[in-house]
Amino acid sequence: MGNSDRSATPTWKQFNHPWYAKLGLGIAGYFKNVGIMIWHVIKSIPFKLWALILAIGHGFKGLWLRFKNGDWRTRLSYLIMGFGNFSRGPKQFIVGFLYLAVEALFVVFMVFSGAGYLVKLGTLGTIDEYFDYDANGEWVKFDGDNSLKILIFSVLAIAIIIFFIIMYVQNTKSAFNVQQRVQNGQGISSPKDQFNNAMNDNYHITVLALPVLGVLIITVLPLICNILVAFTNFNYLHSPPSDRFWWTGFEAFKTTFQGSYGILLWRTLGWTLVWAFFATFTNFFFGMFLAMIINKKSIKMKVFWRTCFVIVIAVPDFVSLMMMGQFFSYSNSNIYTGAFNHIIIEWFHIKTGVGGVNWLGGEAWVARIMVIVINLWRGMPFTMLSTMGILMNIPEDLYESSRIDGAGPVRRFISITFPYIMFVMGPQLITTFTGNINNFNVIFFLTGGGPFTNIGGVRYGATNLLITWLYSLTMQDTALARYNIGSVIGIFTFIITAFFALIVFNSSKSNTQEDTFQ
């Protein structure tokens, strides 16, 4: 009984370990967990593939058994979807009609659209734009095959075929189930029963059907098309509708990871990870210490200080970032367009050149430091608010017992405050880190990716992240757009982001020990 009482109430000594030992063990354990998880993922791939093959085989076996044991109505539903339902009477008419409508719409789509695009998927079109005489004898331009349209509608057709196969299998299952109910004398469910079942036992399917369909159409299908573009030569030289593009295999990957693009890719990746690290942890630590300072009992007017920092959150990101861009702007003439340059020259008489310091477009290292500092200004209040909520929930008994045992402020922070904050905010840190990898707004509105140089004939921006470099390759200068390389960079960015978002999160204590704090 005494042991259970002592374990129920934590003491500050539970956390009283040398900070360097905890740090070393934490780093070693982190990399160990990540390595183990990667190995488990790799090791499970053959088993997942085998399970998929077995599931497909089981599905074909089920189709054959239902056909073998079915009556003539069930067997005819293999040709006319829904026949095994609506032929049983009016109670199953609605279900049968829906299956029949799916089949009819699928046939119409494939005959008039889908099949035509699928036939051209292997080549992405063979007819170029050309000029010829029309029926009136006039010399006119005729459009060739639109490769991008062929790619998009082919992917859509494949998705519709997969959906049709699923509905076809469900049709056979429904027909066979109705047959069994009739043979067992159980009766056929009425439309009212079917509605009640959809709104009760299968309510989750009913509610999630439309959102899942929306995600598939709006997110998944465009993502698949963007991935497939990486295996083509889609660029400014081969841009529909005037020009075709075609499959080139892994050529775009070779171009991206070798030569000038390869140098730029690894440089940009290095800066992206450096940016994500500093943008995340400067906000975290400065926000945490700011919250601790404001939360101290001796600090007066806490509401006022909180409000001063929270005002930053109230202004939309793009507005505040554009404002800061103007504040630190630079002019190479005697007109000081930036307020900060005006202050250091006119007020403090610091000689910085004719137009002041080019904070965001001059030296690469200066621009990089500036975007990190400005991001700290706009991101620190979020961490401050989160930390304040955590500090209010740390048991005061831990602090009291630590004071009695002679622990100072630094020891209390290392042993009590920081572990509590990290346990709660660990997942948020991971989310923030992955978000900063794709933090488009800060870079785009402050520097636009610059300052720019030319490396091997390719334009390089010193503050470009992978996401802003992708944007510049595909959207900023469409006359020189490299959509296939942009797609490769997008895949590369996704892999990196997925690594940190999934593997790192799954190895964190907040996920593996969510019910316990240690």
Side-chain angles (χ1 to χ4, degrees):
M1 185 70 180
N3 291 337
S4 62
D5 290 341
R6 283 196 296 270
S7 61
T9 305
T11 64
W12 82 278
K13 288 187 176 181
Q14 289 179 278
F15 315 109
N16 189 19
H17 302 290
W19 67 270
Y20 49 85
K22 292 180 67 178
L23 179 62
L25 290 174
I27 294 174
Y30 163 77
F31 283 106
K32 178 182 177 182
N33 289 336
V34 171
I36 291 173
M37 293 192 66
I38 293 175
W39 168 244
H40 282 312
V41 170
I42 296 173
K43 189 171 65 173
S44 66
I45 290 176
F47 298 98
K48 297 292 184 182
L49 292 175
W50 179 245
L52 178 62
I53 293 172
L54 289 178
I56 295 173
H58 182 73
F60 280 110
K61 181 180 178 181
L63 277 173
W64 164 246
L65 289 176
R66 286 191 291 274
F67 183 83
K68 178 183 176 182
N69 300 322
D71 58 13
W72 69 274
R73 287 187 174 90
T74 300
R75 292 179 178 179
L76 195 55
S77 66
Y78 278 66
L79 180 62
I80 305 173
M81 288 178 58
F83 188 84
N85 296 93
F86 61 71
S87 65
R88 302 285 182 180
K91 290 185 177 181
Q92 287 286 310
F93 179 80
I94 295 177
V95 175
F97 174 78
L98 290 176
Y99 282 126
L100 183 61
V102 168
E103 183 178 25
L105 291 173
F106 174 75
V107 171
V108 170
F109 171 77
M110 293 303 295
V111 170
F112 291 99
S113 181
Y117 287 110
L118 284 175
V119 169
K120 297 180 180 180
L121 180 60
T123 60
L124 295 177
T126 56
I127 303 173
D128 291 310
E129 184 183 70
Y130 63 97
F131 289 85
D132 202 350
Y133 292 102
D134 63 2
N136 299 323
E138 296 181 0
W139 186 257
V140 295
K141 181 177 72 173
F142 288 89
D143 293 331
D145 290 325
N146 190 324
S147 301
L148 184 60
K149 189 176 180 181
I150 292 171
L151 179 62
I152 294 173
F153 278 88
S154 295
V155 172
L156 179 62
I158 292 172
I160 291 175
I161 290 172
I162 294 173
F163 173 76
F164 174 76
I165 291 173
I166 295 172
M167 295 303 296
Y168 182 83
V169 173
Q170 287 299 119
N171 151 70
T172 63
K173 288 182 179 180
S174 179
F176 189 70
N177 288 339
V178 173
Q179 172 192 325
Q180 287 185 317
R181 292 183 67 87
V182 172
Q183 291 174 348
N184 296 332
Q186 294 177 338
I188 303 174
S189 59
S190 64
K192 182 179 178 181
D193 297 331
Q194 295 159 16
F195 177 79
N196 290 333
N197 180 61
M199 299 305 295
N200 291 285
D201 295 340
N202 293 320
Y203 180 72
H204 58 289
I205 298 176
T206 306
V207 171
L208 293 175
L210 283 178
V212 169
L213 182 63
V215 169
L216 291 175
I217 294 174
I218 298 174
T219 304
V220 177
L221 289 181
L223 180 62
I224 294 173
C225 291
N226 288 334
I227 292 174
L228 292 176
V229 165
F231 300 91
T232 69
N233 61 345
F234 185 17
N235 55 31
Y236 65 97
L237 296 174
H238 306 278
S239 184
S242 58
D243 295 290
R244 295 182 299 111
F245 59 84
W246 50 86
W247 301 109
T248 56
F250 290 92
E251 288 299 321
F253 288 85
K254 293 179 182 178
T255 303
T256 305
F257 290 96
Q258 296 177 358
S260 300
Y261 279 103
I263 296 172
L264 266 60
L265 176 67
W266 297 116
R267 285 190 181 184
T268 306
L269 172 62
W271 160 241
T272 300
L273 295 178
V274 169
W275 150 261
F277 177 83
F278 281 101
T280 301
F281 290 99
T282 53
N283 284 344
F284 172 69
F285 284 107
F286 277 92
M288 177 177 63
F289 287 121
L290 184 62
M292 292 173 62
I293 292 171
I294 296 176
N295 202 55
K296 287 180 68 68
K297 294 180 180 179
S298 59
I299 298 297
K300 306 297 182 182
M301 300 188 301
K302 298 180 186 292
V303 176
F304 171 76
W305 296 117
R306 280 198 298 264
T307 304
C308 288
F309 291 99
V310 171
I311 286 176
V312 178
I313 302 176
V315 181
D317 256 4
F318 79 96
V319 174
S320 58
L321 291 172
M322 290 178 67
M323 179 194 72
M324 293 302 291
Q326 291 297 317
F327 185 76
F328 289 101
S329 62
Y330 166 80
S331 173
N332 56 7
S333 65
N334 288 319
I335 302 173
Y336 309 125
T337 56
F340 191 73
N341 275 323
H342 180 79
I343 291 171
I344 62 176
I345 293 174
E346 296 294 334
W347 294 10
F348 298 100
H349 304 289
I350 299 175
K351 297 181 179 180
T352 57
V354 176
V357 177
N358 194 352
W359 298 101
L360 299 174
E363 294 290 335
W365 65 273
V366 175
R368 288 175 173 177
I369 292 175
M370 288 303 300
V371 295
I372 291 173
V373 171
I374 294 173
N375 182 72
L376 173 63
W377 164 75
R378 59 169 286 280
M380 186 171 54
F382 292 96
T383 306
M384 181 194 72
L385 291 177
S386 301
T387 306
M388 280 183 173
I390 298 170
L391 293 175
M392 293 176 184
N393 287 281
I394 298 178
E396 188 63 29
D397 295 345
L398 292 177
Y399 290 112
E400 291 297 332
S401 61
S402 67
R403 291 189 188 97
I404 293 172
D405 289 337
V410 175
R411 170 54 63 187
R412 289 198 296 271
F413 171 76
I414 294 174
S415 300
I416 302 175
T417 308
F418 189 67
Y420 263 97
I421 293 173
M422 279 300 298
F423 185 80
V424 177
M425 295 189 65
Q428 181 181 335
L429 273 178
I430 297 165
T431 304
T432 305
F433 184 83
T434 55
N436 280 323
I437 291 176
N438 293 321
N439 196 331
F440 180 86
N441 287 351
V442 175
I443 303 300
F444 181 77
F445 286 114
L446 288 178
T447 66
F452 294 99
T453 55
N454 193 289
I455 298 179
V458 183
R459 192 176 186 226
Y460 170 67
T463 58
N464 256 337
L465 307 180
L466 289 172
I467 187 68
T468 54
W469 188 32
L470 187 156
Y471 176 82
S472 64
L473 281 173
T474 56
M475 300 297 294
Q476 279 192 315
D477 191 356
T478 54
L480 297 173
R482 301 296 299 266
Y483 300 106
N484 52 348
I485 292 179
S487 179
V488 175
I489 295 171
I491 295 171
F492 187 61
T493 306
F494 169 76
I495 293 172
I496 294 172
T497 306
F499 172 82
F500 287 106
L502 299 177
I503 296 180
V504 180
F505 173 73
N506 288 331
S507 65
S508 67
K509 284 188 176 181
S510 300
N511 181 54
T512 57
Q513 303 174 14
E514 59 181 341
D515 295 328
T516 338
F517 173 73
Q518 309 222 351

